[in-house]
Amino acid sequence: MALLPKVLLPGALLVLLSTLPVQAATLWYSGDNDGSLTNQVSITGGAAENLFFEDFAVPDSAGWQVDSVFSNNFSVSGAPSKANWAILSGVSAGTSQSNLGTVIASGLSDTTVTPTGRTATNSSNSVPNPEYTFTVSGLNISLEPGKYYLTVTPSGISTPSATQGANAIGINDSGNFRVSATRINPLIVSPEANDFSLGLTGVLRGESTSVPEPLPAPWLIGMVPLGLGLLKGRFSALKARAKNKIE
């Protein structure tokens, strides 16, 4: 009887492994802050609003399934609980709505706020500014291969942390844009030379991050004939051995 578990166990393990969920990973990240506040934009009196879009590429032919987006930002006034975020394609410089290209997904969503442990000191007042990661989770965005633009802007924070690409993941072409709105010009899409610290997580499209269901009944049923066959062979061998001893 010991033969049956030894044969069935590898098959059971293979089925279990095939149903394990795929862990979401960072598919793209433009990099850590470079230790400065030089690229932080000061907005006063509500005269202007800025959204900074960092470009990224989806190189995998299967595409990506995005489940969260995030940005790193310095804040001295606490941690906002919401952020405006958007993924666009086909962005170009100009002053018309068409320059924003196509909105793939967007929203004003709750964020999870996590300190990064990094700080940068404001040269004007020598006050250290702590950096936080603001993450919008629970998304289900399907991206085809191609080039896109991401913004994640926490409420009350004007600009993501600047970066020169330390610990970056994925493809970044530095083709970024600033989308501004002023009292005089309702929309300006202008090229932005700086890179900012943003990223996203997910899996290759077609993979699942869901919790696996219990092993299906057809698997158990399919193993029954194999088990019966092995038992029959085992009993036949024992029967033949007993017959030989008698003779």
Side-chain angles (χ1 to χ4, degrees), residues 9-182:
L9 184 58
L13 288 176
L14 286 174
V15 174
L16 282 170
L17 289 174
S18 67
T19 59
L20 288 176
V22 177
Q23 185 68 36
T26 301
L27 296 174
W28 168 75
Y29 174 51
S30 56
D32 297 340
N33 173 255
D34 57 15
S36 72
L37 289 173
T38 55
N39 291 339
Q40 297 297 98
V41 175
S42 176
I43 298 178
T44 59
E49 294 180 357
N50 295 273
L51 294 177
F52 291 85
F53 284 85
E54 185 78 14
D55 78 292
F56 69 95
V58 177
D60 301 287
S61 59
W64 290 351
Q65 203 69 28
V66 175
D67 63 5
S68 78
V69 295
F70 62 89
S71 68
N72 293 326
N73 302 264
F74 289 103
S75 175
V76 293
S77 59
S81 60
K82 290 186 177 294
N84 280 296
W85 63 273
I87 298 176
L88 309 180
S89 65
V91 180
S92 60
T95 57
S96 70
Q97 193 70 27
S98 62
N99 293 114
L100 291 176
T102 301
V103 178
I104 306 301
S106 65
L108 174 62
S109 304
D110 293 332
T111 62
T112 300
V113 184
T114 308
T116 67
R118 294 184 289 267
T119 61
T121 301
N122 191 324
S123 59
S124 63
N125 56 20
S126 300
V127 174
N129 294 258
E131 185 188 50
Y132 301 90
T133 299
F134 295 83
T135 303
V136 176
S137 304
L139 306 179
N140 186 25
I141 304 168
S142 182
L143 297 180
E144 301 285 347
K147 184 173 182 175
Y148 299 91
Y149 301 85
L150 170 67
T151 186
V152 181
T153 306
S155 301
I157 295 179
S158 59
T159 316
S161 301
T163 181
Q164 294 184 7
N167 300 315
I169 298 171
I171 299 174
N172 183 348
D173 297 329
S174 299
N176 306 322
F177 288 94
R178 177 193 301 198
V179 178
S180 304
T182 69

